[in-house]
Amino acid sequence: MTMLETLREKNPGLPFYSVYDPEFRPFGKVVEFDAAELIAECEKAAVMPEAGVNYVTDMPALEALADSFKAVQHQLRGEGPTQIGVCWGYNSALGCLEYHRASEHNIAVSDVVLLLAAQQDMEGNDLPAGKVVGFYCPKGTTIEVYATSMHYAPCQVSDEGFRCIVILPRGTNYDLDAPRPDTQEGRLLWAKDKWLVAHPEAPEAAKGAYAGIQGENYVVKY
């Protein structure tokens, strides 16, 4: 049984596809990119925590790879200001969903699952139940996640946890310089170019994030 078949069998309440399936097209696309050097360095630099999830907006060890950084900036980001960060650790739950004003590129350093939803399905600041879709992304795959795709920390598919390189415009996810705007969408602004919607059960909701994800706080079983 393949990993995708296992995920479908063990998570019957959650639609599951591969990032190589046509169902991924509204959310993003697989990108041809040689990420071998970045993956090898990430496996050394992103030391697994004892528990939980770590995220750094820019990983010095990866950004110091001059040729790889130049390739990322030129091929993936069109020579725009670029940061190469990493999200890694242990996670199986949906928790939250976020979006940016620009696409995000992910490089799967391990097999991962992405739980995604479309901004177009939001009703105001709320995401109705039944709008989340799971996508299996094999190790070594580079994907573009469109700006309209709501996403958050990947989910692991083994007890060893997960690692995922996160490439964004420089400055994304940095701390805000000013209070959140007093508007409907401003209620979701959580960091620079980061709008966040939490499930009521997520720790972020207790910290003040808007609890707008309705339905189940999915936990991916593998």
Side-chain angles (χ1 to χ4, degrees):
M1 183 179 293
T2 66
M3 176 54 69
L4 181 57
E5 290 170 338
T6 298
L7 290 166
R8 285 172 170 166
E9 180 180 277
K10 295 192 174 183
N11 301 273
L14 182 61
F16 253 109
Y17 303 98
S18 165
V19 293
Y20 290 92
D21 289 336
E23 287 79 5
F24 186 58
R25 291 175 188 166
F27 297 96
K29 64 181 179 182
V30 176
V31 179
E32 183 179 350
F33 183 74
D34 182 2
E37 184 181 45
L38 287 167
I39 290 172
E41 186 61 33
C42 182
E43 289 176 329
K44 293 186 294 184
V47 179
M48 295 300 292
E50 292 186 5
V53 175
N54 289 343
Y55 171 67
V56 293
T57 57
D58 26 57
M59 175 75 80
L62 301 187
E63 296 195 346
L65 301 171
D67 290 342
S68 287
F69 186 88
K70 184 182 297 184
V72 166
Q73 188 171 39
H74 181 66
Q75 297 178 37
L76 300 184
R77 306 307 305 186
E79 298 191 359
T82 300
Q83 65 190 38
I84 303 178
V86 181
C87 186
W88 77 103
Y90 303 93
N91 179 57
S92 297
L94 170 64
C96 297
L97 290 166
E98 68 180 17
Y99 59 89
H100 314 294
R101 293 292 192 243
S103 288
E104 172 178 315
H105 287 87
N106 294 153
I107 301 172
V109 180
S110 65
D111 290 356
V112 298
V113 162
L114 300 178
L115 298 180
L116 305 179
Q119 284 190 53
Q120 294 90 332
D121 285 329
M122 293 183 72
E123 296 180 359
N125 285 348
D126 296 298
L127 182 71
K131 300 299 184 180
V132 176
V133 184
F135 288 97
Y136 170 62
C137 186
K139 178 179 178 178
T141 306
T142 299
I143 60 171
E144 177 182 353
V145 179
Y146 298 146
T148 52
S149 299
M150 304 173 70
H151 58 279
Y152 206 49
C155 295
Q156 66 199 57
V157 294
S158 81
D159 293 344
E160 295 179 359
F162 75 92
R163 290 186 180 94
C164 184
I165 295 171
V166 180
I167 299 164
L168 284 159
R170 179 71 69 182
T172 305
N173 291 326
Y174 287 24
D175 291 340
L176 292 169
D177 294 328
R180 292 183 292 195
D182 187 18
T183 63
Q184 176 175 297
E185 190 183 36
R187 177 68 181 83
L188 306 182
L189 189 60
W190 195 250
K192 289 186 177 180
D193 195 16
K194 176 188 181 116
W195 288 262
L196 182 74
V197 183
H199 190 278
E201 297 174 0
E204 289 85 346
K207 297 177 182 177
Y210 180 79
I213 298 178
Q214 300 172 7
E216 184 177 351
N217 185 25
Y218 295 105
V219 176
V220 175
K221 301 177 178 64
Y222 53 85

